[in-house]
Amino acid sequence: MGAGRRLAMIPAVLFAASLAASIVTPSVAVAEEYGASVSAIDNVFGPNVVRVQPGDVVEWSMDGRTAHTVQADDGSWDSGNLEPGVEFERTFDEPGVFTYFCKYHGKPGIGMAGTVLVGDVALPGATSGTGPDREPVPSGFADTVRVPQDEPTIQEAVDAAEPGGMVLIAPGVYREAVTVTTPFITIRGMDRNRTIIDGTFERAIGIHVIEADGVTIENLTSRNHLLNGFQWTSVHGYWGSYLTAYNNGDYGIFAYDSDWGQFDRSYASGSPDSGFYIGQCDPCHAVITDVLAEHNALGFSGTNASGDLAIVNSEWRSNMAGIVPNTLDSEELPPQRDALIAGNFVHDNNSTTTDSKDLEYPTFGTGILIAGGEANEIVGNLVENHQSYGIAVLPNLDRTLWVTGDNVVRENVVAASGLADLALGAPAAGGDCFSGNASRTSSPPAIELLRGCGSFGARMGGGDLGPTINLGTRFLDALDGAFPHGNWRSQPVPPDQPSMPDPEAAPPRPAIPEQSVPQPYRVRPVSQIDGVQPTVGKEMTVFGVPLATSWWSLLIGLYGYALPGFVYAAWLTLALWDLIRQESAPISFRARWMAVVILVPFLGPLLYFAFGKSPIPKQLRLLLTVGGIGACLLIALLAAVVGG
């Protein structure tokens, strides 16, 4: 997580709701107080290359089980011994390239080593600069470099390739961690299932493309890396196709601070964060289509990924949770907004055997979750068999409490959800709407009647505290790390996946923005999704409360939704009656307080009871106000317990 994460200062009545803590942050996240954060794990720095501006601070956190050091290659600075859990910071005032290593697990440029780029200096070995100095799009194809015929390793072949060229890799197991700094090359395996990059649980990232635009990686497998299978960082144009990433220690297939990209025909499993990730981009200009994610903590995660992002026509199953775009302060460009989630088959995301970080566990048993996002469209998905929620729109808390707004949930088929098929958590800013969905249950109830798209109710804020409290209680459960989960190193080995047709004869496919990526797509109708189409209908309600299986749940549901209104009405009525009967008080005094009571929602009566010199005894005023709030919270908590 980013450094400095803390609770927002909000009224006590919302504290329980605010326990819905930050859900996902990638290993390359940029913290608000720092230029960059680096995690030292056993035995790699992740990320091993960061770029900051002069005057920025880089923070290294010791997140492994053994001691490390952070020592400059030239000996100009040295952290000394750093035990697990300790942090080290250094300010970089001057532009330049600063390389470092851990003296216990590496040497300069070898093993556990890293680089800090300060300013707009070029990455060592890069064939192009940054910003306007980036390499132009090549006008034609360059030569193909074959592995192992021309070069013995993938890294040497990548270094020898020229923009517009291709690295063609024969079947085999390659124990490497490849860094790509040459733009517009295609890296292709001859056989998706037998061309394998293996990290042997020692190397950080299978293939990492850093500031090299237009790089395509296709038709191969990456496994057993301590961080990610495939990663693109700070690029314009990326393409991952016919890829398999499994049993990697953070993410499967990952794009960060990048735009104009596509992931397609790919598979990701065994990630303790998410199988597929696109984050910190606005606009992203990116598409994820025809992929399969299973046995991950999250199928998809996207922190602050906004603008022209489509997650379509894919299957998300047997993860801890399915599709989870989210908003956090610990990356740039919040809030997350304007993504399309459509034509997906999202089912059975209730796994307790996948590995998971503690901040992913609160999402357990949810198909599609918008966490603090705005203006997203969730349209035409088939979502079924989730222990918590089918589709949920909930607030998210980092340093800021990010509430949802203007999200559209329509024409989805949602069934067999343990708590509710559709959910809107409180607090919500307004504009979130639900229409045309085939579902049975919702929280709050009658969600399409009261918050249908285009209705007055949809413009209102609010939502239901129950789903937010449910998320918060799971966050508390995860603090000690004892929640149910497995180990990413021992997740199931996937079956063979479809390979790219004729990979040897096909020409290179560089990821040229607005030309080759992203490719056009058409969202498949929900009726054509290859899954069991459940028969669902609209929920039936009594006084706005869904018919329950017991009178207790019906009674609690009725109180949970009606009691806050009753309490507020009582406060308003008693405050006005109290002002009217104060005949000795000046009319101007009473008129001012009447205006406050009537015109200031919720807080008006409370302000009067606290500061309006009410003749009602203090003990009764406290019982009326604090007791009323306590009763509402008690009923909400009871409803959350009864609801699971």
Side-chain angles (χ1 to χ4, degrees):
M1 296 297 300
R5 182 177 160 269
R6 58 190 181 273
L7 291 176
M9 296 300 294
I10 56 176
V13 71
L14 294 179
F15 180 74
S18 302
L19 291 176
S22 311
I23 294 176
V24 282
T25 305
S27 60
V28 294
V30 178
E32 183 175 302
E33 296 90 346
Y34 300 91
S37 298
V38 179
S39 176
I41 58 177
D42 303 329
N43 289 310
V44 298
F45 291 111
N48 64 337
V49 178
V50 295
R51 183 181 293 278
V52 298
Q53 295 304 311
D56 281 349
V57 174
V58 177
E59 176 197 67
W60 287 266
S61 59
M62 302 300 109
D63 299 324
R65 294 171 292 180
T66 61
H68 300 291
T69 68
V70 182
Q71 180 175 332
D73 285 4
D74 61 7
S76 60
W77 48 275
D78 187 349
S79 67
N81 190 69
L82 300 171
E83 295 293 336
V86 174
E87 295 177 349
F88 170 69
E89 298 177 359
R90 188 177 190 279
T91 302
F92 292 85
D93 292 319
E94 301 297 328
V97 178
F98 301 88
T99 54
Y100 64 91
F101 66 99
C102 169
K103 69 179 182 181
Y104 301 136
H105 307 103
K107 297 178 181 180
I110 300 173
M112 191 172 181
T115 302
V116 178
L117 307 174
V118 183
D120 293 331
V121 297
L123 183 69
T127 60
S128 63
T130 62
D133 297 325
R134 289 180 183 270
E135 184 80 16
V137 177
S139 58
F141 297 136
D143 291 340
T144 294
V145 182
R146 294 175 177 268
V147 181
Q149 293 93 325
D150 300 326
E151 297 289 349
T153 68
I154 301 173
Q155 184 66 69
E156 290 172 289
V158 165
D159 293 341
E162 296 182 356
M166 181 164 63
V167 173
L168 191 61
I169 310 166
V173 177
Y174 299 84
R175 293 173 175 86
E176 299 188 50
V178 180
T179 299
V180 181
T181 58
T182 302
F184 299 107
I185 64 172
T186 299
I187 303 172
R188 180 183 298 164
M190 288 290 293
D191 186 303
R192 175 180 180 176
N193 302 295
R194 295 192 299 127
T195 304
I196 301 169
I197 302 176
D198 193 332
T200 65
F201 304 112
E202 297 174 349
R203 299 168 182 84
I205 300 169
I207 300 181
H208 190 183
V209 182
I210 306 176
E211 297 182 354
D213 299 342
V215 173
T216 295
I217 308 173
E218 57 191 7
N219 208 46
L220 50 83
T221 292
S222 179
R223 69 186 185 195
N224 304 339
H225 290 87
L226 294 176
L227 294 177
N228 308 327
F230 302 97
Q231 179 171 336
W232 289 258
T233 300
S234 302
V235 304
H236 300 298
Y238 60 93
W239 197 348
S241 186
Y242 292 100
L243 296 178
T244 297
Y246 73 93
N247 294 12
N248 297 291
D250 207 2
Y251 297 84
I253 303 175
F254 181 102
Y256 173 78
D257 188 34
S258 301
D259 55 17
W260 297 105
Q262 178 160 320
F263 296 147
D264 63 60
R265 301 178 178 86
S266 294
Y267 173 96
S269 69
S271 304
D273 207 301
S274 65
F276 292 88
Y277 180 92
I278 293 176
Q280 191 178 294
C281 48
D282 186 8
C284 298
H285 300 306
V287 172
I288 296 177
T289 183
D290 193 18
V291 304
L292 171 60
E294 61 181 353
H295 309 306
N296 307 284
L298 310 176
F300 168 84
S301 170
T303 299
N304 304 347
S306 305
D308 193 23
L309 170 64
I311 306 161
V312 298
N313 304 340
S314 298
E315 185 172 2
W316 315 84
R317 70 187 186 200
S318 302
N319 305 287
M320 189 169 283
I323 302 174
V324 188
N326 58 88
T327 299
L328 292 175
D329 297 284
S330 49
E331 289 190 28
E332 297 177 2
L333 309 177
Q336 184 278 326
R337 60 177 181 81
D338 192 23
L340 172 67
I341 302 172
N344 296 285
F345 185 25
V346 187
H347 63 102
D348 299 286
N349 292 288
N350 310 298
S351 178
T352 58
T353 59
T354 63
D355 202 350
S356 174
K357 300 175 182 177
D358 54 0
L359 292 179
E360 276 64 43
Y361 175 65
T363 68
F364 169 81
T366 302
I368 300 174
L369 170 60
I370 304 297
E374 300 177 357
N376 298 286
E377 289 192 66
I378 303 94
V379 182
N381 302 280
L382 174 57
V383 184
E384 56 187 12
N385 299 329
H386 292 98
Q387 291 186 24
S388 296
Y389 302 100
I391 300 175
V393 179
L394 304 179
N396 202 30
L397 178 68
D398 196 358
R399 284 180 290 274
T400 303
L401 176 63
W402 295 99
V403 298
T404 61
D406 298 321
N407 296 286
V408 176
V409 181
R410 60 180 174 85
E411 299 171 11
N412 302 280
V413 177
V414 191
S417 306
L419 300 180
D421 292 334
L422 306 174
L424 175 63
D432 299 307
C433 71
F434 299 76
S435 287
N437 300 284
S439 62
R440 285 191 179 277
T441 59
S442 68
S443 181
I447 199 167
E448 294 204 356
L449 176 65
L450 301 177
R451 296 181 182 274
C453 297
S455 70
F456 175 78
R459 295 194 293 271
M460 303 292 289
D464 184 355
L465 272 176
T468 311
I469 292 173
N470 180 270
L471 194 71
T473 55
R474 285 211 175 95
F475 168 70
L476 295 177
D477 286 343
L479 291 179
D480 60 1
F483 59 92
H485 64 287
N487 188 312
W488 62 269
R489 291 173 172 83
S490 57
Q491 294 298 305
V493 175
D496 284 355
Q497 302 296 312
S499 198
M500 178 181 179
D502 203 359
E504 186 169 12
R509 301 196 303 170
I512 302 173
E514 299 186 74
Q515 295 184 33
S516 58
V517 289
Q519 302 233 315
Y521 64 89
R522 176 178 296 176
V523 176
R524 61 183 175 182
V526 67
S527 60
Q528 295 180 12
I529 295 176
D530 186 18
V532 178
Q533 296 284 335
T535 301
V536 295
K538 302 297 180 182
E539 65 176 332
M540 298 182 63
T541 63
V542 175
F543 299 117
V545 179
L547 290 176
T549 57
S550 71
W551 285 105
W552 280 111
S553 58
L554 179 62
L555 181 63
I556 291 170
L558 178 62
Y559 266 79
Y561 296 113
L563 187 58
F566 293 160
V567 170
Y568 178 54
W571 289 347
L572 191 66
T573 302
L574 287 174
L576 292 175
W577 171 79
D578 196 43
L579 284 165
I580 290 171
R581 73 189 185 97
Q582 291 190 54
E583 297 179 356
S584 61
I587 292 179
S588 58
F589 170 85
R590 290 189 281 173
R592 285 196 300 271
W593 274 112
M594 283 183 178
V596 170
V597 168
I598 295 172
L599 298 178
V600 180
F602 191 80
L603 291 178
L606 297 179
L607 291 171
Y608 169 69
F609 289 132
F611 306 109
K613 300 179 181 179
S614 171
I616 299 175
K618 181 179 180 180
Q619 293 85 350
L620 290 178
R621 280 182 278 143
L622 285 173
L623 182 63
L624 178 65
T625 55
V626 178
I629 293 173
C632 291
L633 288 176
L634 178 62
I635 292 298
L637 287 169
L638 184 59
V641 171
V642 171

